[in-house]
Amino acid sequence: MNSYTPESQQRERIPTEICSDAEAGCLRLAGEIAALIRKNDKAGRSTVLGLATGSTPVRLYRQLIRLHREEGLSFRRVITFNLDEYYGLPRTHPESYWRFMHEQLFNHIDIPPENVNVPDGTVPRGEVFESCRKYEQKIRDAGGLDLQVLGIGRTGHVGFNEPGSGRDSRTRLVTLDNLTRRDAARDFLGEANVPHHAITMGVGTILEAREIVLLAWGEAKARVLAAAVEQPPADSLPASFLQGHPAVRFLVDAAAASELTRVKHPWLVGSVDWTPALARRAVVWLAQQVRKPVLKLLEEHYSEHGMAELLIEQGPAYQLNIRIFNELQHTITGWPGGKPNADDTHRPERAAPHPKRVVVFSPEPSDDVLGMGGTLRRLVEQGHEVTIIYQTSGNLAVPDEEAAMATDLMLELSRSASGQPAGAEFARKVHGQLGAKAAYDSDPDEIRRLKGLIRRGEARAALKICTVEPGQIRFADLPFYEKGRYRQFRIGDADVAAVVALLRELKPHQVFATGELDDPNSVAGICFEIIRQALAVTRADAWTKDCRVWLYRSPAKEWETAEIEMAVPLSPRELAWKIQAIYHHKSQRSQSPVGADLQEAWQQAEMRNRATAKIYDQLGLAEYEAIEAFRRLPAEGSQRRPAGR
Ligand code: F6R
């Protein structure tokens, strides 16, 4: 790190910039790429770009297309080399990276086809080595990569250099990690369909690029990103090898940056403005570090952990301990909709009105019960008028086998009944389509409809356990999803209008939503953005004055303890009901046997809720079986987390 590195970033071994959001980051990088291309064009040189696939660069490519269309940016002298390709997939396969790049970028710009290079995933095994060698030679012949764009996988891979890849590795055939294959399962309509091998540029190949920019959006990347930036380089985390590069940068959003020390524990890397929220975060962290309940923290614990300044400002220790203890205590409530006729000064939710009109948005069927199944049941039991809105049908996530079982059942029914039930014709058609479908073909409308119906059935069964009446369930089937495919979703006016109409009809006092910290290109991320836009449209409506928006999480990740604003304890019985509810989302269970390190969603949810309860217990609050946690949506324009300096 050079002497200009701000104190707060001393631990960062790679310059990392936190952008306001993915869109802003992509806009910036697209502008830089355009400037590079124009500069080289002027000098009569070609520009050689290394490109990545996946969700991460999708918005970058949309920006480059826009610059081409609106500002005349020409790609005639651009030469591209993609990082990787699945091995064994023909170019025409919907998930081949060759096809991805053409659909997302090349078909929409003026790049000459001969300038496009993607590793060939179709060469016979015996020729792979030679093909990889030629790929590297071609990069060198083009003058080497001017700029390499990267994403990062949850395993820490760049390209498909999975853990274990050496710093000097070259373009080669690799085996994909289990976690990587699971992450790709949705795209391939089932984990079993995901190839086991890929061809990837090596770490050494990537490091030869003159400039490298790695992009990361969404909190799923936060942990691995922080390790790549702050931990010493190691084979176990190939992205960490980028640390040695003279011109590497990371552009990330706040969610992906959330595990960096300057964001998560800023007091460890410099002096901070001790806001109440930061003090709470630091005290909770300290208690966990020294394994003591909050009320047993001593002066020396504070000073030994870089928090003496906090004590000077807000101490003495015992007084601060009591304040934070009370704050944490006040997050706990068995009345997620507010306790009627009770003093609500220190309760997360207000007592009146009671009952409340509650709207729970669920990006797909199952997100609701996974994130807040126990709370949902309580809300209904406590007399609130709860409406569940499934924003999408979730049909893309239903494996063919499930659809085939459903048609079999319908056909069986039609045979046994005297007359032909109305659905028989439909079932026959879908049955035929499923039989005729080649692997990975996209689903015709009828199959998608049936798969959507399967998810509806599962959702109804799950909600029955949460005592939600069928009349309280809405399936919004938002158009962005019904007309789209993964990685090609685009929010349209009709999506926002549909959610606005629902909100205006239901006029909720409480809204529960999720997806705020997800990858903005994921279904949950897009669904959240639609809600955000709908709330902006309805901001002036009278009902919004009396409406609170609560956020719940996916089972994979809990709120930071100090960020929790409402903790709803679940009794052992309630936890069991919740698991049973999740269990009804049968089509969402893993399609192949899961390894010991990979869990089913219900297992994750159970573990997560138990873990949150354990933390509350360790902090000295109360010992519950499980806890579901929520926080309020921060007001528009306010920063969730200090973005570091
Ligand atoms: C893609 C690639 C991968 C991805 C990484 C992140 O060409 O090489 O390293 O960048 O797996 O994937 P997404 O962007 O889908 O989260």
Side-chain angles (χ1 to χ4, degrees), residues 176-366:
L176 298 177
D177 194 278
N178 275 345
L179 183 59
T180 300
R181 292 188 62 247
R182 183 177 247 205
D183 281 347
R186 288 209 142 191
D187 302 327
F188 281 88
L189 309 176
E191 201 173 318
N193 301 326
V194 182
H196 286 268
H197 303 283
I199 293 180
T200 182
M201 279 189 201
V203 178
T205 324
I206 293 170
L207 286 173
E208 278 167 12
R210 283 182 275 283
E211 191 183 347
I212 300 175
V213 181
L214 181 143
L215 307 173
W217 323 123
E219 67 167 0
K221 304 291 173 67
R223 211 171 281 277
V224 78
L225 185 106
V229 172
E230 297 187 1
Q231 300 298 317
D235 283 10
S236 55
L237 189 65
S240 63
F241 288 131
L242 298 172
Q243 287 174 19
H245 193 276
V248 62
R249 270 180 305 149
F250 284 9
L251 289 181
V252 306
D253 64 4
S258 58
E259 293 283 329
L260 291 176
T261 306
R262 75 169 131 145
V263 178
K264 197 169 188 196
H265 307 126
W267 57 89
L268 295 179
V269 285
S271 66
V272 292
D273 175 13
W274 283 109
T275 59
L278 194 58
R280 177 155 142 192
R281 184 132 56 95
V283 174
V284 167
W285 173 82
L286 180 63
Q288 289 175 317
Q289 286 293 303
V290 302
R291 297 169 182 274
K292 294 236 174 270
V294 172
L295 292 174
K296 287 191 183 170
L297 292 174
L298 301 171
E299 246 73 22
E300 46 266 44
H301 293 133
Y302 281 88
S303 46
E304 281 161 14
H305 288 81
M307 289 162 62
E309 215 183 315
L310 174 62
L311 276 195
I312 296 170
E313 284 184 30
Q314 302 182 22
Y318 197 61
Q319 197 174 309
L320 179 58
N321 295 347
I322 290 183
R323 193 187 94 206
I324 303 297
F325 176 85
N326 284 337
E327 280 178 25
L328 294 169
Q329 185 84 348
H330 293 153
T331 63
I332 303 174
T333 182
W335 298 83
K339 186 170 184 179
N341 308 317
D343 173 6
D344 58 8
T345 326
H346 294 300
R347 290 178 174 275
E349 204 22 291
R350 61 223 190 279
H354 186 89
K356 289 186 173 63
R357 289 186 296 274
V358 179
V359 165
V360 176
F361 283 107
S362 182
E364 292 185 34
S366 82

Side-chain angles (χ1 to χ4, degrees), residues 182 366 370 555-556 582 588-590 599-607:
R182 183 177 247 205
S366 82
L370 282 165
I582 298 170
Q588 299 308 293
R589 287 188 223 149
S590 177
Q599 290 162 325
E600 294 282 359
W602 66 267
Q603 292 171 308
Q604 281 184 10
E606 177 183 8
M607 251 186 46

Side-chain angles (χ1 to χ4, degrees), residues 95-154:
E95 292 308 322
S96 87
Y97 283 169
W98 190 91
R99 181 156 163 189
F100 175 98
M101 285 309 300
H102 283 77
E103 288 178 353
Q104 300 280 347
L105 181 65
F106 300 145
N107 290 348
H108 313 282
I109 56 177
D110 61 345
I111 189 166
E114 62 276 17
N115 287 9
V116 164
N117 300 281
V118 180
D120 188 351
T122 62
V123 288
R125 281 280 171 130
E127 293 165 30
V128 167
F129 181 82
E130 183 55 15
S131 165
C132 293
R133 196 194 59 76
K134 281 189 181 148
Y135 199 70
E136 298 242 343
Q137 188 56 48
K138 211 165 173 192
I139 298 176
R140 278 193 289 274
D141 291 346
L145 300 168
D146 287 311
L147 173 76
Q148 174 67 56
V149 177
L150 296 176
I152 184 169
R154 285 200 296 156

Side-chain angles (χ1 to χ4, degrees), residues 364-366 368 388-398 402 406 447-464 468-470 473-478 481-482 581 584-588:
E364 292 185 34
S366 82
D368 53 340
I388 319 294
I389 299 177
Y390 293 108
Q391 292 179 266
T392 72
S393 68
N395 62 32
L396 290 168
V398 176
E402 289 291 330
I447 295 188
R448 288 192 67 166
R449 192 162 149 243
L450 176 73
K451 289 183 172 180
L453 293 178
I454 290 171
R455 297 210 67 178
R456 284 188 182 200
E458 292 172 347
R460 287 195 199 96
L463 284 180
K464 199 163 168 208
V468 176
E469 294 294 328
I473 308 172
R474 307 288 185 98
F475 296 96
D477 289 348
L478 292 180
Y481 185 94
E482 290 308 310
H584 277 300
H585 291 281
K586 195 167 140 283
S587 69
Q588 299 308 293

